[in-house]
Amino acid sequence: MTDRDHVIAQGQENSARADLSFLERATFAGELEARGFDRETIMAALSADKTTVSKMLSVVNRIPKTVRTGIGPALAIGRDRWHELATRFDEPANEDRAMEFLARDRVKARAPEDRFNLVSSHLARKDAPEAVAKPAPAEWVRKDGPVRASIKTTGRQYTIALKSADAVAFGAYITQNLDRLYEAFRTENADKSGD
């Protein structure tokens, strides 16, 4: 039996034997993808169509594993609600918000479906401090004008997007020199702090 045949048989056997939740099936799909199996194999193993497998993989790739584990299988929660929650994690700060919320004793004591609903509502709140003010993107423009960069920072993430004819080459140059730039940054900061 080939690896492909084995995972298809395993997936179909698991589905027949247990009433798995969408998250459990999605987690299995993610494991198969991580092992290098193609979408056709994943679809066959889970007896699922392309749309469902795409949503499964979107959920496991966007919602951090620690958050999924903290919520639990949540048998009554279907694919659309998991997919909606996954979109919340396009905002980097929401991983920390979700983990802090799931760590509360009153939340941990609840059933998985309740934890899902509570964390979903928590992340949807617009009055959360993290969601109030997004700093406007900064911009750097070289004096002679051939290169420009849009700069965004969101707490733990810092993004530079280059725009110019040289953007790809300049970006590759920066990437190749990241070790040297980081060492220069550390040295300069150590000098400033007197270490």
Side-chain angles (χ1 to χ4, degrees), residues 15-161:
S15 295
R17 192 178 49 197
D19 188 17
L20 300 177
S21 70
F22 175 80
L23 182 62
E24 290 168 318
R25 288 164 48 86
T27 300
F28 183 60
E31 290 167 0
L32 293 181
E33 183 183 56
R35 289 168 54 190
F37 289 101
D38 60 25
R39 293 288 172 103
E40 297 296 322
T41 302
I42 298 170
M43 288 164 55
L46 291 164
S47 300
D49 61 33
K50 187 181 284 190
T51 301
T52 301
V53 168
S54 291
K55 288 197 174 187
M56 287 176 175
L57 294 174
S58 176
V59 165
V60 296
N61 290 328
R62 290 163 90 180
I63 302 178
K65 184 176 182 181
T66 51
V67 174
R68 289 184 275 123
T69 301
I71 292 172
L75 195 61
I77 307 298
R79 77 176 192 185
D80 291 337
R81 295 194 58 213
W82 275 108
H83 192 259
E84 181 185 340
L85 179 64
T87 65
R88 303 258 179 230
F89 290 92
D90 294 344
E91 175 62 49
N94 278 346
E95 179 177 355
D96 289 339
R97 288 182 64 210
M99 288 310 299
E100 180 276 324
F101 186 75
L102 287 166
R104 298 176 186 178
D105 288 338
R106 68 177 182 83
V107 177
K108 285 196 287 189
R110 304 294 288 268
E113 288 78 7
D114 293 336
R115 286 196 296 270
F116 176 95
N117 290 325
L118 288 167
V119 79
S120 183
S121 296
H122 179 70
L123 295 180
R125 282 188 11 223
K126 297 294 181 200
D127 61 342
E130 298 87 345
V132 172
K134 277 190 179 178
E139 191 169 74
W140 171 81
V141 181
R142 191 168 151 76
K143 290 177 186 172
D144 59 8
V147 181
R148 112 184 6 245
S150 175
I151 301 161
K152 285 194 295 187
T153 180
T154 55
R156 293 168 51 181
Q157 196 167 28
Y158 191 91
T159 306
I160 300 173

